[in-house]
Amino acid sequence: AFMANILPRSVAVEELPLKVEFAKTIVIASMGFDSFVEENSLQELGGKMTDQEIADIFLSCPIPAWLLRDLRRILNAVTHPLCIRSSSLLEDGHAAPYAGLYKTYMLPNNQEDFRARFNILQDALRLVWASTWFEGPLAFSKSVHSTQEKDSMSVVIQEVVGRRYGDYYYPAISGVAQSHNFYPVGPMKSDDGIVHVALGLGKTVVEGEKSVRFSPKFPKHIIQFSSVEDILKNSQRYFYCLDMTGDDRPLSTDEAASLAKLEVDECLDSAAVQSLSSSYFPEENRIRDGFNPKGVPVLTFASILKYQAISLSESLFAVLQLAHKGIGCPAEIEFAVDLDPDPAKSVLYILQMRPMVKIGDSYHVSISDDERERAFCHSKHALGHGVFESINDIIIVKPEDFEPGETIAIAAEIKAFNKRMVANDLSYLLVGPGRWGSADRWLGIPVQWQDISGVRGFVEIRTREFKADPSQGSHFFQNITSLGIPYITINEDEDRFDYDFFKGQEVIDESRFLQHVRIKHTMIIKIDGVAPECVMFAEDRHKVESVSFKYFTSD
């Protein structure tokens, strides 16, 4: 609503070559939630109930009659696929946004029987409301010392942007754009912003799966695509879409039940796939721009980023600047693109806009040469800013026992450790290989927020097996940055993490893959977010005698 109000007033945006619009949207105000809770006496709900038990209670409760009349009126006029989104009071706050913790449901909304469509819409609404009491938001609330009593849930009903391709419906492009880039490289600057794009629904981006990352100021400068091998390894192989087969599967706490995950290679007849793909020719070990049925399709978005078939990067940069100026702080936008065969008819749709919490330079942090020398951890790829002295417990994925195929099992062990840590009111630093919080188990350890709710710092060891770019567009990443949690990346050639330092520390607990270590003396984490640079050292430690990268194997 804010962007729709200020967009027409901007001369710069009016001059954009790519048309910018807003997905048709209806808001059920928080009074609907409040009435539902009050009429069904749900105020004291919670305790030790599971998400499914809470969902079952909500699904059994009637929606207020006045709201049902409005919903019926809406559904009589709309047969387009719908997205039922949460919009809680706490969700997009400046201090600690609850990004991605509540439920979102995609509905085909194409059943011939009106009653079937109406019942599914009601269930989606109930389940979004129910997610206010689910484990993830409650764990996050505890982390930020908030209380659920302060929350209230509005619900956004929004038409899904895209087109139907056979039995499936999806946008050609979806993504997340941020006006501040926490990891600028090459010619990029922090204020140039960063964009993550993917084929299909935005679930790929917000859950940290493979997507294309670029600066809207430098769309041709894509670090993850620096070689043929990098392109093949880092390009998107799967995408999400809405299943339009129209069956009457009941909704559940699994919000992805109505979605399908397709392989790009299976959808070569899709106009969207053809428009965004380049072609790999194994016999030449070469990737040629443009779709060629004789080659292997590789999603590079070259037609958009390299050849500017539509002016997506220019339009996104202008919209980000407008949003940043309008709200007075860095902004994040979720968007989708309806790609038409005629580029002039393609449309950039803004789906959501929220303030983005920037870990800024509110005060100066100085790192001395002596601190660099005696640090057991030194990184030039650090997210955060400040001096942290209250973390003495470290949970480490043991390098000698780590197995790339066991990331799901490792995530389960972390969840168990976290439960004990939280019960004892202990915060901790989490150290391990790959991207934390990725939904792709082959990019890192797929922990969710409730699995690591006691964490107060991350170290990501970038190994040969796990060398993924930081997932800045994901909801997991958004929650980390909003809480000011340090996120330190260790690269083999540039940074240092000394595992030998921990051999002399107290081992509190151990499992197959993990070790809980407690530092004997005060551990200090210093991060200069402007550089960016991080050092970690114990207060009485004078020199790091040895450095070992046990995750890395020699050639």
Side-chain angles (χ1 to χ4, degrees), residues 362-412:
S362 55
Y363 62 93
H364 181 65
V365 174
S366 176
I367 297 175
S368 68
D369 288 339
D370 176 66
E371 289 168 342
R372 293 185 185 96
E373 176 69 19
R374 59 194 178 99
F376 65 84
C377 174
H378 179 229
S379 171
K380 295 181 180 179
H381 302 83
L383 166 64
H385 188 81
V387 179
F388 306 83
E389 299 183 356
S390 59
I391 306 173
N392 277 71
D393 291 271
I394 303 179
I395 294 177
I396 303 174
V397 179
K398 296 184 289 188
E400 65 273 16
D401 295 328
F402 173 68
E403 297 178 21
E406 296 290 343
T407 54
I408 293 178
I410 296 172

Side-chain angles (χ1 to χ4, degrees), residues 432-436 443-445 459-463 466-468 487:
R435 176 192 292 171
W436 287 108
L443 293 181
I445 299 172
V459 175
E460 170 190 310
I461 310 291
R462 298 186 72 180
T463 71
F466 290 140
K467 198 172 183 180
Y487 194 102

Side-chain angles (χ1 to χ4, degrees), residues 218-491:
F218 302 96
K220 298 179 183 180
H221 191 81
I222 304 176
I223 300 299
Q224 69 199 92
F225 286 174
S226 56
S227 68
V228 170
E229 290 71 23
D230 285 341
I231 294 174
L232 295 177
K233 181 179 180 180
N234 297 319
S235 62
Q236 181 185 356
R237 304 306 306 163
Y238 300 90
F239 68 100
Y240 292 96
C241 51
L242 182 57
D243 187 348
M244 298 294 288
T245 53
D247 59 24
D248 295 327
R249 285 171 293 186
L251 299 181
S252 68
T253 54
D254 180 11
E255 57 191 335
S258 61
L259 304 183
K261 188 175 185 179
L262 304 181
E263 192 169 356
V264 173
D265 292 350
E266 298 173 352
C267 304
L268 301 186
D269 58 344
S270 165
V273 171
Q274 294 181 12
S275 297
L276 303 173
S277 293
S278 296
S279 301
Y280 172 62
F281 295 89
E283 64 277 7
E284 303 176 23
N285 192 32
R286 183 174 179 179
I287 295 176
R288 298 179 184 272
D289 294 333
F291 176 79
N292 188 321
K294 296 181 181 180
V296 179
V298 182
L299 284 176
T300 62
F301 293 78
S303 62
I304 307 298
L305 302 180
K306 188 174 180 180
Y307 298 105
Q308 298 287 299
I310 60 172
S311 301
L312 178 61
S313 56
E314 180 185 350
S315 301
L316 284 173
F317 182 75
V319 171
L320 284 172
Q321 296 299 303
L322 179 64
H324 188 146
K325 182 179 179 181
I327 63 176
C329 71
E332 176 178 281
I333 292 172
E334 291 185 25
F335 65 90
V337 177
D338 180 25
L339 200 58
D340 194 272
D342 179 358
K345 296 181 180 178
S346 296
V347 181
L348 166 62
Y349 286 92
I350 298 175
L351 307 178
Q352 290 197 65
M353 190 273 288
R354 65 174 67 89
M356 178 185 174
V357 179
K358 176 183 175 183
I359 308 302
D361 50 352
S362 55
Y363 62 93
H364 181 65
V365 174
S366 176
I367 297 175
S368 68
D369 288 339
D370 176 66
E371 289 168 342
R372 293 185 185 96
E373 176 69 19
R374 59 194 178 99
F376 65 84
C377 174
H378 179 229
S379 171
K380 295 181 180 179
H381 302 83
L383 166 64
H385 188 81
V387 179
F388 306 83
E389 299 183 356
S390 59
I391 306 173
N392 277 71
D393 291 271
I394 303 179
I395 294 177
I396 303 174
V397 179
K398 296 184 289 188
E400 65 273 16
D401 295 328
F402 173 68
E403 297 178 21
E406 296 290 343
T407 54
I408 293 178
I410 296 172
E413 288 191 4
I414 291 173
K415 182 176 183 178
F417 270 65
N418 179 78
K419 186 176 181 180
R420 293 193 289 272
M421 299 291 281
V422 172
N424 289 294
D425 198 26
L426 294 173
S427 58
Y428 58 91
L429 180 73
L430 187 57
V431 180
R435 176 192 292 171
W436 287 108
S438 173
D440 187 338
R441 57 178 293 195
W442 298 106
L443 293 181
I445 299 172
V447 290
Q448 298 183 35
W449 182 259
Q450 56 265 33
D451 303 332
I452 46 95
S453 58
V455 73
R456 288 299 175 269
F458 292 90
V459 175
E460 170 190 310
I461 310 291
R462 298 186 72 180
T463 71
R464 289 188 175 89
E465 293 89 355
F466 290 140
K467 198 172 183 180
D469 286 329
S471 182
Q472 293 190 56
S474 70
H475 285 140
F476 182 90
F477 192 89
Q478 170 73 1
N479 289 329
I480 288 171
T481 59
S482 69
L483 288 173
I485 293 177
Y487 194 102
I488 295 94
T489 301
I490 301 295
N491 288 316

Side-chain angles (χ1 to χ4, degrees), residues 87-148:
S87 185
S88 84
L89 181 67
L90 297 176
E91 190 164 7
D92 295 329
H94 285 251
Y98 286 48
L101 294 176
Y102 301 113
K103 294 297 182 180
T104 295
Y105 290 89
M106 299 278 189
L107 309 180
N109 192 36
N110 65 342
Q111 294 90 339
E112 293 184 6
D113 185 355
F114 176 84
R115 289 174 297 179
R117 291 197 295 129
F118 191 48
N119 288 337
I120 291 176
L121 175 61
Q122 291 182 65
D123 285 349
L125 178 59
R126 292 186 182 101
L127 287 168
V128 172
W129 282 340
S131 65
T132 312
W133 275 273
F134 284 177
E135 181 183 3
L138 286 172
F140 191 78
S141 293
K142 196 169 184 180
S143 298
V144 297
H145 308 293
S146 180
T147 59
Q148 282 308 100

